[in-house]
Amino acid sequence: MNLLAPVRRDRILAELPQCLRKEASLHTHKDFHPRVTCACQEHRTGTVGFKISKVIVVGDLSVGKTCLINRFCKDTFDKNYKATIGVDFEMERFEVLGVPFSLQLWDTAGQERFKCIASTYYRGAQAIIIVFNLNDVTSLEHTKQWLADALKENDPSSVLLFLVGSKKDLSTPAQYALMEKDALKVAKEIKAEFWAVSSLTGENVREFFFRVAALNFEANVLAELEKSGARRIGDVVRINSDDSNLYLTASKKKPTCCH
Ligand SMILES: Nc1nc2c(ncn2[C@@H]2O[C@H](COP(=O)(O)OP(=O)(O)OP(=O)(O)O)[C@@H](O)[C@H]2O)c(=O)[nH]1
Ligand SMILES: [Mg+2]
């Protein structure tokens, strides 16, 4: 993948994509955080534009992790099951509020015998997508264990969690409604955002990944702003000074918007 190639026109986000269900969402604000919008307008997003955010996709075997990624990244669907051996990954480039932003989507194996290889790739994730089959309650029950394993390698306080029910096309509205109730309960318990998708029809797939990209981007910009809070672009660093405050603000001009 050429990192310098222009971002595809259908990967440009000018607004915050909305959640699927308010009851189980990471936040329900209509727009990006005002500090984020402002930082993007003023080109104060630091290194975010060069960052690649790691996202791992975990869950039981055959729940549809590979199909989900392939539907979004390649717009393909394979009805034959080919188990993922260890891990695989895809890169997706976005442009959010005018800033380039990349996701590295790690597709991991659900089969027990490949799990130990896959788990060595969990570290450094900024988002965890836990997939279960909407037509198989056992796969939903297993999501907590998948999450616990993934969190052993990551910082629970900073990682974004998504609980995704797959194969929506296979359930009747009544079956779906029943399963959704249970899934929302789990999502709330683990503090994950709930989504229901079908890789066969494509239902909600694009909306879901756009939401993942947007929330990840927002978290990255906020973290960047926090990091540079004491030290803004334009600050002068005094070297060889015995003054404990090394940072002098070059311009005393008031900021034009929220900081
Ligand atoms: N009807 C339907 N079938 C699906 C859907 N998503 C996946 N499948 C089927 O489910 C099977 C397993 O899909 P995969 O994506 O390979 O599952 P996986 O979670 O990657 O499995 P592992 O790699 O072994 O962990 C395949 O036969 C897919 O065609 C869907 O949305 N609808
Ligand atoms: Mg797979």
Side-chain angles (χ1 to χ4, degrees):
M1 193 207 62
N2 181 2
L3 274 174
L4 298 174
V7 175
R8 277 170 49 176
R9 285 178 64 178
D10 60 351
R11 295 286 187 262
I12 295 177
L13 277 98
E15 281 162 7
L16 178 68
Q18 296 306 293
C19 60
L20 183 74
R21 299 295 308 257
K22 286 202 165 75
E23 307 93 299
S25 68
L26 289 174
H27 69 65
T28 53
H29 307 300
K30 253 187 84 238
D31 302 307
F32 281 106
H33 193 293
R35 292 187 70 203
V36 171
T37 315
C38 191
C40 293
Q41 281 166 358
E42 295 181 349
H43 309 289
R44 288 186 295 104
T45 50
T47 58
V48 173
F50 310 104
K51 271 191 186 155
I52 296 171
S53 182
K54 180 174 179 176
V55 177
I56 58 171
V57 184
V58 298
D60 276 4
L61 72 135
S62 198
V63 291
K65 300 178 293 297
T66 302
C67 285
L68 179 62
I69 292 173
N70 286 345
R71 170 56 79 197
F72 181 64
C73 298
K74 304 174 185 160
D75 201 16
T76 58
F77 178 80
D78 187 352
K79 63 179 175 20
N80 303 308
Y81 171 50
K82 287 186 215 90
T84 303
I85 298 166
V87 289
D88 210 347
F89 78 87
E90 290 288 337
M91 287 281 278
E92 270 301 324
R93 293 184 70 218
F94 297 85
E95 189 186 292
V96 190
L97 299 178
V99 180
F101 188 65
S102 298
L103 290 186
Q104 194 178 40
L105 300 168
W106 286 82
D107 178 17
T108 69
Q111 281 198 25
E112 198 57 45
R113 60 190 163 137
F114 302 127
K115 214 177 145 183
C116 62
I117 315 172
S119 61
T120 60
Y121 292 87
Y122 289 172
R123 186 161 301 172
Q126 299 200 341
I128 302 172
I129 299 173
I130 314 140
V131 185
F132 70 98
N133 178 351
L134 284 166
N135 311 282
D136 172 12
V137 74
T138 318
S139 70
L140 174 64
E141 286 161 8
H142 290 166
T143 54
K144 283 187 193 163
Q145 190 53 50
W146 283 106
L147 175 62
D149 290 345
L151 284 182
K152 277 183 209 153
E153 306 290 336
N154 288 290
D155 174 8
S157 67
S158 63
V159 79
L160 302 178
L161 304 180
F162 296 87
L163 180 70
V164 178
S166 63
K167 310 193 187 185
K168 191 167 184 280
D169 57 284
L170 294 178
S171 44
T172 64
Q175 285 166 336
Y176 173 75
L178 265 180
M179 191 58 125
E180 195 197 56
K181 239 172 142 187
D182 291 342
L184 286 172
K185 227 187 276 170
V186 175
K188 276 196 261 184
E189 236 176 273
I190 63 174
K191 297 192 172 54
E193 178 159 306
F194 171 72
W195 280 82
V197 299
S198 166
S199 304
L200 185 144
T201 65
E203 184 180 353
N204 289 341
V205 172
R206 182 182 148 86
E207 290 82 349
F208 166 63
F209 281 106
F210 269 43
R211 180 83 175 159
V212 174
L215 293 183
N216 239 295
F217 175 82
E218 184 175 62
N220 268 278
V221 176
L222 287 173
E224 187 78 18
L225 289 174
E226 199 153 300
K227 217 169 57 184
S228 62
R231 190 168 40 85
R232 296 225 176 91
I233 294 168
D235 283 356
V236 175
V237 181
R238 265 201 264 161
I239 300 170
N240 293 334
S241 166
D242 44 16
D243 192 332
S244 59
N245 180 13
L246 286 175
Y247 295 103
L248 284 177
T249 303
S251 158
K252 293 269 184 274
K253 214 177 113 203
K254 276 243 177 279
T256 48
C257 65
C258 39
H259 289 276

